């Protein structure tokens, strides 16, 4: 009994369809929502408990986002709009943040004067960041008393004699017990003589109320798995060396148009130099593009061109494809080679996630969906009475001035052409809270479709 259209017919009529052009018909339900598994693969060799990937954008993915996404069972790709040493430092920090607390405490170098602070304490470290040796701290009342004075906070800091230290891999339950036993407001997580995180009692109470997902994304070394983005320039080979030493578990070649000689040569170089390191290529939107990168040796593909909320590639360059069609077409050929697909762009709600996964993707990459969260980089500000954080496309002129023009093969161009814009995203709270709820909505969508897992959804798609 014919009802609706199969994917093979829908996506082979010459149209370029977006997620909003597609609706999925329900199927037969014979299992509860809790029986739905959203476990998947990011690449050939990296499993994830949830199909969520934080985008390599400088207003989305840095240390706190990477640690939190890994704790949830997903992963983040740290952006490369910074020096190679800075990117490596972010990766080391993310892998060490064993308890995914929100950054409610601040860290500042004593030479920088009095920092802005959030929460009850300011912690002073040797490097001005983490991991680093803890030199001292001030309470919020100390900061209030010093706020209007021209002083160096290093001269007024409290020493660390009374500070309680615990091992860096201490779990949340033990930390809570120790905080009660020691009657302390915070504990410092330590590794090799350096502070890698500070856990404040209020953070523990808040985290206890968050929904839990599956197992965290942990590597063989017992640390969070973290990805890193790089370009395809000769200098990126040196950057890659820094990132591998820092512990990056997967590398994403970050380009708006990945079907190029530059990317193919870089893929071959990485697979030869670091054969154990998974490489994700892209971005691509056609089967021919995908085929070229698969033959070059990629372990995963990133799909999407001009479909992001702050990306203007399709308007500026007249090149791209509707994201639903792009995901279906690329995943059709990638599946034949066992290469997982990341649907990158156009995700603004849980329904879009369901559509992307059902159309063949193994994971979805999120930019605006995660921007504005507590874990996203940047400070909150108020705009028209609403608490927001800045969010910008890596193709915006503002981002390009920091180096992201490599992504658009424009770092040698005399004129910079923007393929993205700058905006602001409303405060969403912590990803530790809203991602579990989003995944529950995705599971309900899969239940309605009669698919109890991603493989079963892909089987329904093909049949």
């Amino acid at each position: 009994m014919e009802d609706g259209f199969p994917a093979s017919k829908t996506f082979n009529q010459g149209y370029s369809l977006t997620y909003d052009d597609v609706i999925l018909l329900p199927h037969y339900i014979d299992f509860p929502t809790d029986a739905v598994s959203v476990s998947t693969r990011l690449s050939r060799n990296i499993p994830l408990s949830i199909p969520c990937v934080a985008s390599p954008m400088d207003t989305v993915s840095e240390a706190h986002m990477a640690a939190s996404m890994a704790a949830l069972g997903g992963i983040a790709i740290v952006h490369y709009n910074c020096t190679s040493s800075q990117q490596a430092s972010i990766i080391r920090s993310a892998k060490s943040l064993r308890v995914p607390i929100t950054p409610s405490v601040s860290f500042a170098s004593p030479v920088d004067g009095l920092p802005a602070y959030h929460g009850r304490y300011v912690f002073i470290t040797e490097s001005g960041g983490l991991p680093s040796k803890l030199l001292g701290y001030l309470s919020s009342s100390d900061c209030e008393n010093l706020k209007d004075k021209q002083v160096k906070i290093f001269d007024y800091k409290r020493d660390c004699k009374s500070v309680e230290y615990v091992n860096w891999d201490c779990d949340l339950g033990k930390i809570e017990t120790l905080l009660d036993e020691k009657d302390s407001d915070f504990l410092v997580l330590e590794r090799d003589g350096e502070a890698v995180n500070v856990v404040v009692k209020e953070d523990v109470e808040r985290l206890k109320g968050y929904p839990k997902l599956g197992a965290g994304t942990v590597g063989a070394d017992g640390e969070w798995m973290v990805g890193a983005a790089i370009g395809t320039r000769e200098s990126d080979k040196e950057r890659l060396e820094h990132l591998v030493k820092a512990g990056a578990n997967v590398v994403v070649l970050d380009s708006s148009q990945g079907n190029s000689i530059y990317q193919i040569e870089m893929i071959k170089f990485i697979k030869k130099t670091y054969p154990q390191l998974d490489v994700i290529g892209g971005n691509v939107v056609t089967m021919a593009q995908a085929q070229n990168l698969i033959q070059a040796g990629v372990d995963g593909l990133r799909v999407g061109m001009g479909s992001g909320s702050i990306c203007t590639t399709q308007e500026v360059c007249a090149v791209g494809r509707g994201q639903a069609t792009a995901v279906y077409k690329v995943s059709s050929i990638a599946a034949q080679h066992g290469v997982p697909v990341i649907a990158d762009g156009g995700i603004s709600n849980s329904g879009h996630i369901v559509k992307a996964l059902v159309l063949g993707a193994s994971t979805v990459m999120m930019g605006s969906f995660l921007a504005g969260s507590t874990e996203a980089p940047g400070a909150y500000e108020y705009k028209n009475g609403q608490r927001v954080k800045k969010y910008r496309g890596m193709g915006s002129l503002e981002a390009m001035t920091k180096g992201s023009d490599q992504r658009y093969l424009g770092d040698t161009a005399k004129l910079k052409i923007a393929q993205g814009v700058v905006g602001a995203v409303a405060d969403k709270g912590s990803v530790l809270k809203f991602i579990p709820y989003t995944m529950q909505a995705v599971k309900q969508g899969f239940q309605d479709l009669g698919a109890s897992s991603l493989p079963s959804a892909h089987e329904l798609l093909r049949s």
Side-chain angles (χ1 to χ4, degrees):
M1 184 167 57
E2 188 173 331
D3 194 1
F5 298 96
S8 57
K9 181 176 180 180
T10 302
F11 294 102
N12 285 300
Q13 300 183 70
Y15 301 117
S16 182
L17 303 175
T18 70
Y19 291 140
D20 291 334
D21 295 323
V22 177
I23 191 70
L24 308 171
L25 293 179
H27 198 41
Y28 181 69
I29 298 174
D30 59 358
F31 53 86
T33 307
D34 289 344
V36 176
S37 170
V38 291
S39 61
T40 186
R41 287 183 299 148
L42 172 75
S43 56
R44 290 185 194 271
N45 303 301
I46 297 183
L48 300 178
S49 297
I50 62 172
C52 301
V53 184
S55 181
M57 307 175 76
D58 58 9
T59 50
V60 176
S61 293
E62 290 189 353
H64 279 280
M65 181 65 76
S68 297
M69 290 299 290
L72 289 166
I75 197 167
I77 311 300
V78 175
H79 71 88
Y80 73 113
N81 214 19
C82 55
T83 66
S84 57
S85 60
Q86 287 171 331
Q87 189 180 16
S89 177
I90 291 171
I91 289 170
R92 283 192 295 269
S93 178
K95 293 177 75 68
S96 298
L97 289 172
R98 301 308 299 165
V99 179
I101 66 168
T102 57
S104 62
V105 291
S106 296
F107 309 90
S109 168
V111 298
D112 291 335
L114 185 64
Y117 65 93
H118 312 279
R120 296 175 58 188
Y121 297 97
V122 172
F123 296 90
I124 307 161
T125 64
E126 195 170 68
S127 68
L130 292 175
S132 184
K133 183 178 179 181
L134 184 65
L135 302 179
Y137 69 98
L138 288 87
S139 69
S140 57
S141 59
D142 295 333
C143 294
E144 287 290 347
N145 294 333
L146 297 174
K147 189 163 59 175
D148 297 324
K149 300 176 183 178
Q150 297 296 318
V151 296
K152 289 185 177 180
I153 61 172
F154 186 78
D155 297 331
Y156 289 85
K157 67 178 175 60
R158 301 187 190 190
D159 60 41
C160 299
K161 292 180 181 178
S162 61
V163 172
E164 295 288 342
Y165 291 86
V166 296
N167 201 40
W168 68 286
D169 58 358
C170 189
D171 63 45
L172 193 62
K174 186 175 180 181
I175 287 173
E176 183 182 17
T177 301
L178 288 171
L179 285 169
D180 290 337
E181 288 179 354
K182 304 293 183 180
D183 193 26
S184 177
D185 282 340
F186 64 85
L187 292 175
V188 175
L189 303 190
E190 183 183 40
R191 182 180 187 184
D192 299 329
E194 294 185 328
V196 297
N197 206 350
V198 179
V199 185
V200 181
K201 185 175 287 187
E202 288 89 337
D203 289 320
V204 174
E205 290 299 317
R206 182 168 57 254
L207 285 169
K208 283 167 59 182
Y210 288 171
K212 300 295 187 293
L213 286 174
T217 310
V218 179
D221 56 4
E223 297 182 331
W224 298 134
M225 296 187 82
V226 181
I230 64 170
T232 55
R233 295 290 185 259
E234 193 65 28
S235 59
D236 285 296
K237 294 178 180 178
E238 182 180 345
R239 177 185 290 267
L240 178 63
E241 183 180 355
H242 285 285
L243 300 178
V244 171
K245 288 180 179 178
N249 301 99
V250 58
V251 169
V252 173
L253 297 183
D254 193 27
S255 175
S256 63
Q257 214 284 49
N259 186 31
S260 69
I261 185 63
Y262 315 111
Q263 185 157 145
I264 288 172
E265 288 179 350
M266 182 62 86
I267 292 167
K268 292 178 178 178
F269 168 81
I270 296 173
K271 297 308 293 183
K272 181 180 180 181
T273 311
Y274 305 100
Q276 302 304 314
L277 182 67
D278 273 18
V279 182
I280 295 172
N283 281 26
V284 296
V285 294
T286 72
M287 298 173 76
Q289 286 181 302
Q291 183 68 37
N292 281 345
L293 299 190
I294 291 170
Q295 289 177 348
V298 293
D299 302 292
L301 286 168
R302 188 175 167 195
V303 177
M305 191 170 183
S307 56
S309 63
I310 37 71
C311 183
T312 59
T313 298
Q314 293 185 10
E315 290 82 0
V316 173
C317 299
V319 179
R321 197 173 204 175
Q323 187 68 341
T325 298
V327 169
Y328 175 79
K329 290 290 188 179
V330 172
S331 64
S332 295
I333 189 169
Q336 298 173 23
H337 299 273
V339 175
V341 162
I342 304 171
D344 175 24
I347 301 295
S348 59
N349 55 56
S350 58
H352 288 159
I353 298 174
V354 173
K355 291 176 183 180
L357 297 176
V358 169
L359 291 175
S362 294
T363 56
V364 294
M365 185 165 275
M366 302 166 165
S368 63
F369 200 92
L370 302 178
S373 66
T374 309
E375 292 78 10
Y380 284 109
E381 54 188 62
Y382 283 88
K383 188 175 182 180
N384 299 323
Q386 190 174 35
R387 195 165 183 249
V388 300
K389 269 188 182 179
K390 179 183 286 187
Y391 175 54
R392 67 186 183 192
M394 298 307 284
S396 65
L397 287 177
E398 185 177 294
M400 282 185 172
T401 59
K402 287 198 171 184
S404 70
D405 47 358
Q406 280 193 46
R407 186 176 192 273
Y408 299 84
L409 305 179
D411 55 326
T412 58
K414 294 180 180 178
L415 292 174
K416 306 294 185 186
I417 305 299
Q419 295 185 43
V421 296
V422 178
V425 177
D427 178 9
K428 297 180 178 178
S430 174
V431 297
L432 299 171
K433 190 169 187 177
F434 70 76
I435 288 295
Y437 284 107
T438 301
M439 287 299 99
Q440 185 64 23
V442 170
K443 288 183 177 183
Q444 290 180 0
F446 269 59
Q447 183 191 39
D448 286 340
L449 292 164
S452 59
S453 66
L454 267 71
S456 63
H458 293 170
E459 184 178 334
L460 287 170
L461 172 72
R462 308 300 174 201
S463 63

